[in-house]
PDB file of all heavy atoms in Angstrom:
ATOM      1  N   SER B  18       0.830  -1.205   0.000  1.00 96.00           N
ATOM      2  CA  SER B  18       0.000   0.000   0.000  1.00 96.00           C
ATOM      3  C   SER B  18       0.868   1.260   0.000  1.00 96.00           C
ATOM      4  O   SER B  18       0.552   2.255  -0.671  1.00 96.00           O
ATOM      5  CB  SER B  18      -0.934   0.003   1.211  1.00 96.00           C
ATOM      6  OG  SER B  18      -1.882  -1.047   1.119  1.00 96.00           O
ATOM      7  N   LYS B  19       1.967   1.215   0.727  1.00 96.00           N
ATOM      8  CA  LYS B  19       2.856   2.377   0.801  1.00 96.00           C
ATOM      9  C   LYS B  19       3.519   2.630  -0.552  1.00 96.00           C
ATOM     10  O   LYS B  19       3.632   3.788  -0.990  1.00 96.00           O
ATOM     11  CB  LYS B  19       3.921   2.146   1.885  1.00 96.00           C
ATOM     12  CG  LYS B  19       4.832   3.341   2.113  1.00 96.00           C
ATOM     13  CD  LYS B  19       5.735   3.120   3.304  1.00 96.00           C
ATOM     14  CE  LYS B  19       6.687   4.297   3.503  1.00 96.00           C
ATOM     15  NZ  LYS B  19       5.951   5.577   3.733  1.00 96.00           N
ATOM     16  N   VAL B  20       3.973   1.568  -1.212  1.00 95.00           N
ATOM     17  CA  VAL B  20       4.570   1.729  -2.539  1.00 95.00           C
ATOM     18  C   VAL B  20       3.541   2.293  -3.509  1.00 95.00           C
ATOM     19  O   VAL B  20       3.843   3.194  -4.311  1.00 95.00           O
ATOM     20  CB  VAL B  20       5.115   0.377  -3.054  1.00 95.00           C
ATOM     21  CG1 VAL B  20       5.533   0.469  -4.517  1.00 95.00           C
ATOM     22  CG2 VAL B  20       6.298  -0.075  -2.197  1.00 95.00           C
ATOM     23  N   HIS B  21       2.325   1.777  -3.445  1.00 95.00           N
ATOM     24  CA  HIS B  21       1.264   2.235  -4.343  1.00 95.00           C
ATOM     25  C   HIS B  21       0.959   3.718  -4.128  1.00 95.00           C
ATOM     26  O   HIS B  21       0.879   4.501  -5.077  1.00 95.00           O
ATOM     27  CB  HIS B  21      -0.001   1.398  -4.111  1.00 95.00           C
ATOM     28  CG  HIS B  21      -1.065   1.624  -5.147  1.00 95.00           C
ATOM     29  ND1 HIS B  21      -1.468   0.637  -6.015  1.00 95.00           N
ATOM     30  CD2 HIS B  21      -1.812   2.724  -5.460  1.00 95.00           C
ATOM     31  CE1 HIS B  21      -2.410   1.117  -6.821  1.00 95.00           C
ATOM     32  NE2 HIS B  21      -2.637   2.387  -6.491  1.00 95.00           N
ATOM     33  N   LEU B  22       0.798   4.109  -2.852  1.00 94.00           N
ATOM     34  CA  LEU B  22       0.415   5.484  -2.534  1.00 94.00           C
ATOM     35  C   LEU B  22       1.555   6.486  -2.737  1.00 94.00           C
ATOM     36  O   LEU B  22       1.337   7.602  -3.222  1.00 94.00           O
ATOM     37  CB  LEU B  22      -0.084   5.557  -1.091  1.00 94.00           C
ATOM     38  CG  LEU B  22      -1.439   4.901  -0.808  1.00 94.00           C
ATOM     39  CD1 LEU B  22      -1.702   4.854   0.690  1.00 94.00           C
ATOM     40  CD2 LEU B  22      -2.561   5.648  -1.521  1.00 94.00           C
ATOM     41  N   ASP B  23       2.766   6.080  -2.365  1.00 95.00           N
ATOM     42  CA  ASP B  23       3.875   7.031  -2.367  1.00 95.00           C
ATOM     43  C   ASP B  23       4.650   7.078  -3.686  1.00 95.00           C
ATOM     44  O   ASP B  23       5.211   8.122  -4.037  1.00 95.00           O
ATOM     45  CB  ASP B  23       4.858   6.693  -1.232  1.00 95.00           C
ATOM     46  CG  ASP B  23       4.239   6.871   0.140  1.00 95.00           C
ATOM     47  OD1 ASP B  23       3.158   7.475   0.230  1.00 95.00           O
ATOM     48  OD2 ASP B  23       4.838   6.391   1.129  1.00 95.00           O
ATOM     49  N   GLN B  24       4.692   5.950  -4.404  1.00 94.00           N
ATOM     50  CA  GLN B  24       5.541   5.893  -5.587  1.00 94.00           C
ATOM     51  C   GLN B  24       4.778   5.715  -6.900  1.00 94.00           C
ATOM     52  O   GLN B  24       5.150   6.306  -7.921  1.00 94.00           O
ATOM     53  CB  GLN B  24       6.563   4.750  -5.437  1.00 94.00           C
ATOM     54  CG  GLN B  24       7.460   4.908  -4.219  1.00 94.00           C
ATOM     55  CD  GLN B  24       8.455   3.780  -4.077  1.00 94.00           C
ATOM     56  OE1 GLN B  24       9.125   3.421  -5.057  1.00 94.00           O
ATOM     57  NE2 GLN B  24       8.585   3.223  -2.889  1.00 94.00           N
ATOM     58  N   TYR B  25       3.727   4.909  -6.876  1.00 93.00           N
ATOM     59  CA  TYR B  25       3.010   4.638  -8.125  1.00 93.00           C
ATOM     60  C   TYR B  25       1.913   5.671  -8.392  1.00 93.00           C
ATOM     61  O   TYR B  25       1.865   6.279  -9.476  1.00 93.00           O
ATOM     62  CB  TYR B  25       2.399   3.238  -8.090  1.00 93.00           C
ATOM     63  CG  TYR B  25       1.528   2.946  -9.284  1.00 93.00           C
ATOM     64  CD1 TYR B  25       2.080   2.570 -10.501  1.00 93.00           C
ATOM     65  CD2 TYR B  25       0.137   3.067  -9.214  1.00 93.00           C
ATOM     66  CE1 TYR B  25       1.287   2.317 -11.619  1.00 93.00           C
ATOM     67  CE2 TYR B  25      -0.667   2.819 -10.309  1.00 93.00           C
ATOM     68  CZ  TYR B  25      -0.089   2.440 -11.514  1.00 93.00           C
ATOM     69  OH  TYR B  25      -0.880   2.198 -12.608  1.00 93.00           O
ATOM     70  N   GLN B  26       1.048   5.872  -7.439  1.00 91.00           N
ATOM     71  CA  GLN B  26      -0.144   6.681  -7.667  1.00 91.00           C
ATOM     72  C   GLN B  26       0.158   8.135  -8.053  1.00 91.00           C
ATOM     73  O   GLN B  26      -0.473   8.670  -8.980  1.00 91.00           O
ATOM     74  CB  GLN B  26      -1.046   6.635  -6.435  1.00 91.00           C
ATOM     75  CG  GLN B  26      -2.450   7.186  -6.673  1.00 91.00           C
ATOM     76  CD  GLN B  26      -3.410   6.770  -5.581  1.00 91.00           C
ATOM     77  OE1 GLN B  26      -3.616   5.588  -5.337  1.00 91.00           O
ATOM     78  NE2 GLN B  26      -3.988   7.760  -4.911  1.00 91.00           N
ATOM     79  N   PRO B  27       1.122   8.806  -7.403  1.00 92.00           N
ATOM     80  CA  PRO B  27       1.398  10.195  -7.804  1.00 92.00           C
ATOM     81  C   PRO B  27       1.808  10.327  -9.270  1.00 92.00           C
ATOM     82  O   PRO B  27       1.368  11.254  -9.969  1.00 92.00           O
ATOM     83  CB  PRO B  27       2.537  10.605  -6.861  1.00 92.00           C
ATOM     84  CG  PRO B  27       2.364   9.732  -5.660  1.00 92.00           C
ATOM     85  CD  PRO B  27       1.899   8.423  -6.210  1.00 92.00           C
ATOM     86  N   VAL B  28       2.637   9.394  -9.745  1.00 91.00           N
ATOM     87  CA  VAL B  28       3.081   9.446 -11.152  1.00 91.00           C
ATOM     88  C   VAL B  28       1.923   9.110 -12.082  1.00 91.00           C
ATOM     89  O   VAL B  28       1.708   9.772 -13.116  1.00 91.00           O
ATOM     90  CB  VAL B  28       4.258   8.484 -11.378  1.00 91.00           C
ATOM     91  CG1 VAL B  28       4.679   8.476 -12.849  1.00 91.00           C
ATOM     92  CG2 VAL B  28       5.435   8.858 -10.494  1.00 91.00           C
ATOM     93  N   ALA B  29       1.160   8.058 -11.735  1.00 88.00           N
ATOM     94  CA  ALA B  29       0.047   7.637 -12.589  1.00 88.00           C
ATOM     95  C   ALA B  29      -0.997   8.737 -12.721  1.00 88.00           C
ATOM     96  O   ALA B  29      -1.544   8.978 -13.811  1.00 88.00           O
ATOM     97  CB  ALA B  29      -0.591   6.366 -12.020  1.00 88.00           C
ATOM     98  N   GLU B  30      -1.272   9.433 -11.619  1.00 88.00           N
ATOM     99  CA  GLU B  30      -2.266  10.512 -11.656  1.00 88.00           C
ATOM    100  C   GLU B  30      -1.731  11.721 -12.419  1.00 88.00           C
ATOM    101  O   GLU B  30      -2.457  12.354 -13.194  1.00 88.00           O
ATOM    102  CB  GLU B  30      -2.662  10.906 -10.231  1.00 88.00           C
ATOM    103  CG  GLU B  30      -3.500   9.858  -9.517  1.00 88.00           C
ATOM    104  CD  GLU B  30      -3.859  10.271  -8.103  1.00 88.00           C
ATOM    105  OE1 GLU B  30      -3.316  11.299  -7.634  1.00 88.00           O
ATOM    106  OE2 GLU B  30      -4.666   9.578  -7.463  1.00 88.00           O
ATOM    107  N   ALA B  31      -0.471  12.040 -12.190  1.00 89.00           N
ATOM    108  CA  ALA B  31       0.114  13.214 -12.865  1.00 89.00           C
ATOM    109  C   ALA B  31       0.139  13.030 -14.382  1.00 89.00           C
ATOM    110  O   ALA B  31      -0.076  13.986 -15.141  1.00 89.00           O
ATOM    111  CB  ALA B  31       1.529  13.463 -12.343  1.00 89.00           C
ATOM    112  N   LYS B  32       0.358  11.803 -14.848  1.00 86.00           N
ATOM    113  CA  LYS B  32       0.435  11.534 -16.276  1.00 86.00           C
ATOM    114  C   LYS B  32      -0.895  11.054 -16.856  1.00 86.00           C
ATOM    115  O   LYS B  32      -0.977  10.813 -18.075  1.00 86.00           O
ATOM    116  CB  LYS B  32       1.522  10.487 -16.555  1.00 86.00           C
ATOM    117  CG  LYS B  32       2.929  10.959 -16.226  1.00 86.00           C
ATOM    118  CD  LYS B  32       3.975   9.918 -16.615  1.00 86.00           C
ATOM    119  CE  LYS B  32       5.372  10.433 -16.373  1.00 86.00           C
ATOM    120  NZ  LYS B  32       6.417   9.464 -16.806  1.00 86.00           N
ATOM    121  N   GLY B  33      -1.906  10.907 -15.989  1.00 86.00           N
ATOM    122  CA  GLY B  33      -3.205  10.434 -16.461  1.00 86.00           C
ATOM    123  C   GLY B  33      -3.143   9.059 -17.089  1.00 86.00           C
ATOM    124  O   GLY B  33      -3.855   8.771 -18.059  1.00 86.00           O
ATOM    125  N   LEU B  34      -2.330   8.191 -16.542  1.00 82.00           N
ATOM    126  CA  LEU B  34      -2.093   6.893 -17.166  1.00 82.00           C
ATOM    127  C   LEU B  34      -3.343   6.019 -17.202  1.00 82.00           C
ATOM    128  O   LEU B  34      -3.566   5.286 -18.175  1.00 82.00           O
ATOM    129  CB  LEU B  34      -0.970   6.158 -16.420  1.00 82.00           C
ATOM    130  CG  LEU B  34       0.396   6.856 -16.424  1.00 82.00           C
ATOM    131  CD1 LEU B  34       1.430   6.031 -15.672  1.00 82.00           C
ATOM    132  CD2 LEU B  34       0.863   7.098 -17.861  1.00 82.00           C
ATOM    133  N   HIS B  35      -4.153   6.062 -16.146  1.00 75.00           N
ATOM    134  CA  HIS B  35      -5.324   5.188 -16.100  1.00 75.00           C
ATOM    135  C   HIS B  35      -6.484   5.736 -16.911  1.00 75.00           C
ATOM    136  O   HIS B  35      -7.519   5.099 -17.028  1.00 75.00           O
ATOM    137  CB  HIS B  35      -5.738   4.952 -14.641  1.00 75.00           C
ATOM    138  CG  HIS B  35      -4.818   4.024 -13.919  1.00 75.00           C
ATOM    139  ND1 HIS B  35      -5.081   2.680 -13.774  1.00 75.00           N
ATOM    140  CD2 HIS B  35      -3.610   4.242 -13.327  1.00 75.00           C
ATOM    141  CE1 HIS B  35      -4.097   2.111 -13.097  1.00 75.00           C
ATOM    142  NE2 HIS B  35      -3.184   3.046 -12.826  1.00 75.00           N
ATOM    143  N   GLN B  36      -6.316   6.936 -17.455  1.00 78.00           N
ATOM    144  CA  GLN B  36      -7.336   7.463 -18.351  1.00 78.00           C
ATOM    145  C   GLN B  36      -7.060   7.080 -19.814  1.00 78.00           C
ATOM    146  O   GLN B  36      -7.908   7.265 -20.685  1.00 78.00           O
ATOM    147  CB  GLN B  36      -7.416   9.003 -18.243  1.00 78.00           C
ATOM    148  CG  GLN B  36      -8.217   9.497 -17.035  1.00 78.00           C
ATOM    149  CD  GLN B  36      -7.519   9.186 -15.725  1.00 78.00           C
ATOM    150  OE1 GLN B  36      -6.349   9.493 -15.572  1.00 78.00           O
ATOM    151  NE2 GLN B  36      -8.240   8.595 -14.792  1.00 78.00           N
ATOM    152  N   ARG B  37      -5.900   6.581 -20.067  1.00 74.00           N
ATOM    153  CA  ARG B  37      -5.570   6.119 -21.406  1.00 74.00           C
ATOM    154  C   ARG B  37      -6.254   4.775 -21.663  1.00 74.00           C
ATOM    155  O   ARG B  37      -6.314   3.920 -20.800  1.00 74.00           O
ATOM    156  CB  ARG B  37      -4.065   5.960 -21.588  1.00 74.00           C
ATOM    157  CG  ARG B  37      -3.275   7.240 -21.376  1.00 74.00           C
ATOM    158  CD  ARG B  37      -1.794   6.956 -21.591  1.00 74.00           C
ATOM    159  NE  ARG B  37      -0.968   8.101 -21.223  1.00 74.00           N
ATOM    160  CZ  ARG B  37       0.375   8.104 -21.277  1.00 74.00           C
ATOM    161  NH1 ARG B  37       1.015   7.021 -21.700  1.00 74.00           N
ATOM    162  NH2 ARG B  37       1.064   9.173 -20.919  1.00 74.00           N
ATOM    163  N   GLY B  38      -6.723   4.584 -22.833  1.00 72.00           N
ATOM    164  CA  GLY B  38      -7.378   3.322 -23.153  1.00 72.00           C
ATOM    165  C   GLY B  38      -6.384   2.231 -23.479  1.00 72.00           C
ATOM    166  O   GLY B  38      -5.468   2.427 -24.279  1.00 72.00           O
ATOM    167  N   GLY B  39      -6.558   1.074 -22.839  1.00 77.00           N
ATOM    168  CA  GLY B  39      -5.781  -0.109 -23.189  1.00 77.00           C
ATOM    169  C   GLY B  39      -4.307  -0.022 -22.888  1.00 77.00           C
ATOM    170  O   GLY B  39      -3.488  -0.615 -23.595  1.00 77.00           O
ATOM    171  N   ILE B  40      -3.920   0.686 -21.859  1.00 82.00           N
ATOM    172  CA  ILE B  40      -2.505   0.755 -21.491  1.00 82.00           C
ATOM    173  C   ILE B  40      -2.060  -0.587 -20.922  1.00 82.00           C
ATOM    174  O   ILE B  40      -2.807  -1.274 -20.220  1.00 82.00           O
ATOM    175  CB  ILE B  40      -2.254   1.900 -20.489  1.00 82.00           C
ATOM    176  CG1 ILE B  40      -0.742   2.139 -20.329  1.00 82.00           C
ATOM    177  CG2 ILE B  40      -2.893   1.599 -19.139  1.00 82.00           C
ATOM    178  CD1 ILE B  40      -0.409   3.415 -19.567  1.00 82.00           C
ATOM    179  N   THR B  41      -0.850  -0.975 -21.265  1.00 86.00           N
ATOM    180  CA  THR B  41      -0.340  -2.277 -20.828  1.00 86.00           C
ATOM    181  C   THR B  41       0.632  -2.100 -19.665  1.00 86.00           C
ATOM    182  O   THR B  41       1.104  -0.999 -19.384  1.00 86.00           O
ATOM    183  CB  THR B  41       0.393  -2.994 -21.976  1.00 86.00           C
ATOM    184  OG1 THR B  41       1.556  -2.235 -22.331  1.00 86.00           O
ATOM    185  CG2 THR B  41      -0.520  -3.137 -23.190  1.00 86.00           C
ATOM    186  N   LEU B  42       0.940  -3.213 -19.027  1.00 86.00           N
ATOM    187  CA  LEU B  42       1.916  -3.177 -17.931  1.00 86.00           C
ATOM    188  C   LEU B  42       3.282  -2.733 -18.431  1.00 86.00           C
ATOM    189  O   LEU B  42       4.010  -2.048 -17.726  1.00 86.00           O
ATOM    190  CB  LEU B  42       2.020  -4.552 -17.270  1.00 86.00           C
ATOM    191  CG  LEU B  42       0.947  -4.910 -16.239  1.00 86.00           C
ATOM    192  CD1 LEU B  42       1.195  -6.310 -15.693  1.00 86.00           C
ATOM    193  CD2 LEU B  42       0.932  -3.904 -15.092  1.00 86.00           C
ATOM    194  N   GLN B  43       3.627  -3.152 -19.654  1.00 89.00           N
ATOM    195  CA  GLN B  43       4.917  -2.741 -20.206  1.00 89.00           C
ATOM    196  C   GLN B  43       4.988  -1.224 -20.341  1.00 89.00           C
ATOM    197  O   GLN B  43       6.005  -0.596 -20.030  1.00 89.00           O
ATOM    198  CB  GLN B  43       5.158  -3.408 -21.556  1.00 89.00           C
ATOM    199  CG  GLN B  43       6.488  -3.064 -22.199  1.00 89.00           C
ATOM    200  CD  GLN B  43       7.681  -3.418 -21.312  1.00 89.00           C
ATOM    201  OE1 GLN B  43       7.728  -4.482 -20.704  1.00 89.00           O
ATOM    202  NE2 GLN B  43       8.646  -2.496 -21.218  1.00 89.00           N
ATOM    203  N   GLU B  44       3.882  -0.636 -20.771  1.00 89.00           N
ATOM    204  CA  GLU B  44       3.845   0.822 -20.903  1.00 89.00           C
ATOM    205  C   GLU B  44       3.890   1.487 -19.525  1.00 89.00           C
ATOM    206  O   GLU B  44       4.523   2.534 -19.349  1.00 89.00           O
ATOM    207  CB  GLU B  44       2.577   1.240 -21.652  1.00 89.00           C
ATOM    208  CG  GLU B  44       2.596   0.845 -23.127  1.00 89.00           C
ATOM    209  CD  GLU B  44       1.253   1.053 -23.802  1.00 89.00           C
ATOM    210  OE1 GLU B  44       0.207   0.928 -23.131  1.00 89.00           O
ATOM    211  OE2 GLU B  44       1.240   1.348 -25.011  1.00 89.00           O
ATOM    212  N   LEU B  45       3.230   0.864 -18.540  1.00 89.00           N
ATOM    213  CA  LEU B  45       3.284   1.404 -17.178  1.00 89.00           C
ATOM    214  C   LEU B  45       4.698   1.314 -16.626  1.00 89.00           C
ATOM    215  O   LEU B  45       5.157   2.211 -15.908  1.00 89.00           O
ATOM    216  CB  LEU B  45       2.311   0.640 -16.264  1.00 89.00           C
ATOM    217  CG  LEU B  45       0.824   0.934 -16.467  1.00 89.00           C
ATOM    218  CD1 LEU B  45      -0.026   0.023 -15.576  1.00 89.00           C
ATOM    219  CD2 LEU B  45       0.519   2.400 -16.142  1.00 89.00           C
ATOM    220  N   ARG B  46       5.402   0.236 -16.956  1.00 89.00           N
ATOM    221  CA  ARG B  46       6.781   0.093 -16.496  1.00 89.00           C
ATOM    222  C   ARG B  46       7.647   1.203 -17.078  1.00 89.00           C
ATOM    223  O   ARG B  46       8.562   1.699 -16.430  1.00 89.00           O
ATOM    224  CB  ARG B  46       7.342  -1.274 -16.876  1.00 89.00           C
ATOM    225  CG  ARG B  46       6.666  -2.428 -16.160  1.00 89.00           C
ATOM    226  CD  ARG B  46       7.202  -3.782 -16.619  1.00 89.00           C
ATOM    227  NE  ARG B  46       8.508  -4.054 -16.027  1.00 89.00           N
ATOM    228  CZ  ARG B  46       9.641  -4.101 -16.706  1.00 89.00           C
ATOM    229  NH1 ARG B  46       9.641  -3.857 -18.008  1.00 89.00           N
ATOM    230  NH2 ARG B  46      10.778  -4.372 -16.087  1.00 89.00           N
ATOM    231  N   THR B  47       7.361   1.571 -18.314  1.00 88.00           N
ATOM    232  CA  THR B  47       8.124   2.640 -18.963  1.00 88.00           C
ATOM    233  C   THR B  47       7.811   3.998 -18.349  1.00 88.00           C
ATOM    234  O   THR B  47       8.707   4.817 -18.100  1.00 88.00           O
ATOM    235  CB  THR B  47       7.825   2.671 -20.475  1.00 88.00           C
ATOM    236  OG1 THR B  47       8.167   1.401 -21.050  1.00 88.00           O
ATOM    237  CG2 THR B  47       8.606   3.778 -21.163  1.00 88.00           C
ATOM    238  N   GLU B  48       6.529   4.248 -18.107  1.00 91.00           N
ATOM    239  CA  GLU B  48       6.087   5.544 -17.613  1.00 91.00           C
ATOM    240  C   GLU B  48       6.410   5.748 -16.126  1.00 91.00           C
ATOM    241  O   GLU B  48       6.839   6.834 -15.710  1.00 91.00           O
ATOM    242  CB  GLU B  48       4.579   5.698 -17.827  1.00 91.00           C
ATOM    243  CG  GLU B  48       4.132   5.718 -19.270  1.00 91.00           C
ATOM    244  CD  GLU B  48       4.437   7.046 -19.936  1.00 91.00           C
ATOM    245  OE1 GLU B  48       4.866   7.991 -19.242  1.00 91.00           O
ATOM    246  OE2 GLU B  48       4.253   7.153 -21.165  1.00 91.00           O
ATOM    247  N   VAL B  49       6.176   4.721 -15.319  1.00 91.00           N
ATOM    248  CA  VAL B  49       6.341   4.852 -13.855  1.00 91.00           C
ATOM    249  C   VAL B  49       7.717   4.378 -13.409  1.00 91.00           C
ATOM    250  O   VAL B  49       8.294   4.907 -12.450  1.00 91.00           O
ATOM    251  CB  VAL B  49       5.233   4.064 -13.111  1.00 91.00           C
ATOM    252  CG1 VAL B  49       5.398   4.192 -11.606  1.00 91.00           C
ATOM    253  CG2 VAL B  49       3.855   4.558 -13.529  1.00 91.00           C
ATOM    254  N   GLY B  50       8.224   3.388 -14.092  1.00 92.00           N
ATOM    255  CA  GLY B  50       9.507   2.797 -13.695  1.00 92.00           C
ATOM    256  C   GLY B  50       9.328   1.313 -13.432  1.00 92.00           C
ATOM    257  O   GLY B  50       8.374   0.908 -12.749  1.00 92.00           O
ATOM    258  N   PRO B  51      10.215   0.493 -13.988  1.00 93.00           N
ATOM    259  CA  PRO B  51      10.055  -0.954 -13.841  1.00 93.00           C
ATOM    260  C   PRO B  51      10.139  -1.430 -12.392  1.00 93.00           C
ATOM    261  O   PRO B  51       9.456  -2.383 -12.009  1.00 93.00           O
ATOM    262  CB  PRO B  51      11.201  -1.529 -14.687  1.00 93.00           C
ATOM    263  CG  PRO B  51      12.197  -0.414 -14.787  1.00 93.00           C
ATOM    264  CD  PRO B  51      11.399   0.854 -14.786  1.00 93.00           C
ATOM    265  N   ARG B  52      10.975  -0.778 -11.604  1.00 95.00           N
ATOM    266  CA  ARG B  52      11.120  -1.233 -10.212  1.00 95.00           C
ATOM    267  C   ARG B  52       9.807  -1.123  -9.445  1.00 95.00           C
ATOM    268  O   ARG B  52       9.407  -2.060  -8.741  1.00 95.00           O
ATOM    269  CB  ARG B  52      12.201  -0.420  -9.498  1.00 95.00           C
ATOM    270  CG  ARG B  52      12.431  -0.873  -8.047  1.00 95.00           C
ATOM    271  CD  ARG B  52      13.387   0.069  -7.337  1.00 95.00           C
ATOM    272  NE  ARG B  52      12.849   1.420  -7.267  1.00 95.00           N
ATOM    273  CZ  ARG B  52      11.941   1.806  -6.349  1.00 95.00           C
ATOM    274  NH1 ARG B  52      11.457   0.938  -5.473  1.00 95.00           N
ATOM    275  NH2 ARG B  52      11.505   3.050  -6.342  1.00 95.00           N
ATOM    276  N   VAL B  53       9.114   0.001  -9.606  1.00 94.00           N
ATOM    277  CA  VAL B  53       7.868   0.223  -8.863  1.00 94.00           C
ATOM    278  C   VAL B  53       6.785  -0.738  -9.332  1.00 94.00           C
ATOM    279  O   VAL B  53       6.119  -1.393  -8.527  1.00 94.00           O
ATOM    280  CB  VAL B  53       7.394   1.683  -9.028  1.00 94.00           C
ATOM    281  CG1 VAL B  53       6.002   1.875  -8.399  1.00 94.00           C
ATOM    282  CG2 VAL B  53       8.395   2.635  -8.399  1.00 94.00           C
ATOM    283  N   VAL B  54       6.608  -0.834 -10.645  1.00 94.00           N
ATOM    284  CA  VAL B  54       5.540  -1.690 -11.178  1.00 94.00           C
ATOM    285  C   VAL B  54       5.818  -3.160 -10.864  1.00 94.00           C
ATOM    286  O   VAL B  54       4.915  -3.906 -10.453  1.00 94.00           O
ATOM    287  CB  VAL B  54       5.378  -1.475 -12.697  1.00 94.00           C
ATOM    288  CG1 VAL B  54       4.374  -2.481 -13.282  1.00 94.00           C
ATOM    289  CG2 VAL B  54       4.911  -0.051 -12.977  1.00 94.00           C
ATOM    290  N   ASP B  55       7.059  -3.594 -11.046  1.00 94.00           N
ATOM    291  CA  ASP B  55       7.390  -4.996 -10.761  1.00 94.00           C
ATOM    292  C   ASP B  55       7.210  -5.320  -9.275  1.00 94.00           C
ATOM    293  O   ASP B  55       6.775  -6.417  -8.925  1.00 94.00           O
ATOM    294  CB  ASP B  55       8.826  -5.297 -11.195  1.00 94.00           C
ATOM    295  CG  ASP B  55       8.994  -5.275 -12.716  1.00 94.00           C
ATOM    296  OD1 ASP B  55       7.955  -5.279 -13.419  1.00 94.00           O
ATOM    297  OD2 ASP B  55      10.147  -5.232 -13.188  1.00 94.00           O
ATOM    298  N   GLU B  56       7.543  -4.368  -8.411  1.00 95.00           N
ATOM    299  CA  GLU B  56       7.346  -4.576  -6.979  1.00 95.00           C
ATOM    300  C   GLU B  56       5.863  -4.730  -6.657  1.00 95.00           C
ATOM    301  O   GLU B  56       5.462  -5.591  -5.875  1.00 95.00           O
ATOM    302  CB  GLU B  56       7.940  -3.405  -6.202  1.00 95.00           C
ATOM    303  CG  GLU B  56       7.627  -3.399  -4.704  1.00 95.00           C
ATOM    304  CD  GLU B  56       8.334  -4.512  -3.947  1.00 95.00           C
ATOM    305  OE1 GLU B  56       9.242  -5.147  -4.524  1.00 95.00           O
ATOM    306  OE2 GLU B  56       7.971  -4.736  -2.782  1.00 95.00           O
ATOM    307  N   LEU B  57       5.030  -3.899  -7.282  1.00 95.00           N
ATOM    308  CA  LEU B  57       3.585  -4.005  -7.057  1.00 95.00           C
ATOM    309  C   LEU B  57       3.046  -5.346  -7.535  1.00 95.00           C
ATOM    310  O   LEU B  57       2.246  -5.989  -6.852  1.00 95.00           O
ATOM    311  CB  LEU B  57       2.854  -2.860  -7.771  1.00 95.00           C
ATOM    312  CG  LEU B  57       3.029  -1.458  -7.180  1.00 95.00           C
ATOM    313  CD1 LEU B  57       2.340  -0.427  -8.065  1.00 95.00           C
ATOM    314  CD2 LEU B  57       2.487  -1.390  -5.760  1.00 95.00           C
ATOM    315  N   VAL B  58       3.468  -5.768  -8.717  1.00 95.00           N
ATOM    316  CA  VAL B  58       2.985  -7.034  -9.281  1.00 95.00           C
ATOM    317  C   VAL B  58       3.422  -8.206  -8.406  1.00 95.00           C
ATOM    318  O   VAL B  58       2.624  -9.085  -8.047  1.00 95.00           O
ATOM    319  CB  VAL B  58       3.494  -7.218 -10.720  1.00 95.00           C
ATOM    320  CG1 VAL B  58       3.190  -8.642 -11.211  1.00 95.00           C
ATOM    321  CG2 VAL B  58       2.855  -6.199 -11.643  1.00 95.00           C
ATOM    322  N   ARG B  59       4.688  -8.221  -8.029  1.00 95.00           N
ATOM    323  CA  ARG B  59       5.227  -9.327  -7.237  1.00 95.00           C
ATOM    324  C   ARG B  59       4.550  -9.404  -5.864  1.00 95.00           C
ATOM    325  O   ARG B  59       4.150 -10.478  -5.408  1.00 95.00           O
ATOM    326  CB  ARG B  59       6.737  -9.149  -7.087  1.00 95.00           C
ATOM    327  CG  ARG B  59       7.405 -10.282  -6.305  1.00 95.00           C
ATOM    328  CD  ARG B  59       8.922 -10.170  -6.363  1.00 95.00           C
ATOM    329  NE  ARG B  59       9.391  -8.889  -5.852  1.00 95.00           N
ATOM    330  CZ  ARG B  59       9.876  -7.910  -6.625  1.00 95.00           C
ATOM    331  NH1 ARG B  59       9.935  -8.057  -7.936  1.00 95.00           N
ATOM    332  NH2 ARG B  59      10.301  -6.770  -6.092  1.00 95.00           N
ATOM    333  N   THR B  60       4.419  -8.257  -5.214  1.00 96.00           N
ATOM    334  CA  THR B  60       3.820  -8.244  -3.881  1.00 96.00           C
ATOM    335  C   THR B  60       2.338  -8.593  -3.930  1.00 96.00           C
ATOM    336  O   THR B  60       1.816  -9.288  -3.050  1.00 96.00           O
ATOM    337  CB  THR B  60       3.998  -6.861  -3.220  1.00 96.00           C
ATOM    338  OG1 THR B  60       5.361  -6.464  -3.307  1.00 96.00           O
ATOM    339  CG2 THR B  60       3.577  -6.903  -1.765  1.00 96.00           C
TER     340      THR B  60
END
């Protein structure tokens, strides 16, 4: 939850990532950073 709130959500909201249609995890890894997205997926 801390990673999501502190590292993922601010970037996703600032870039409007979840408003884009059909965005993939690979694109999220590029936009937010692979470390953050992979940590969220793994956890």
Side-chain angles (χ1 to χ4, degrees):
S18 294
K19 184 173 178 60
V20 171
H21 190 115
L22 289 171
D23 295 347
Q24 301 180 48
Y25 174 80
Q26 193 164 302
V28 177
E30 289 179 351
K32 295 184 176 183
L34 298 181
H35 286 263
Q36 280 68 51
R37 300 180 188 178
I40 191 169
T41 65
L42 279 180
Q43 181 58 43
E44 290 170 329
L45 287 175
R46 293 177 77 248
T47 301
E48 296 284 353
V49 180
R52 182 187 62 81
V53 173
V54 174
D55 291 347
E56 172 70 12
L57 289 175
V58 170
R59 182 171 58 253
T60 310

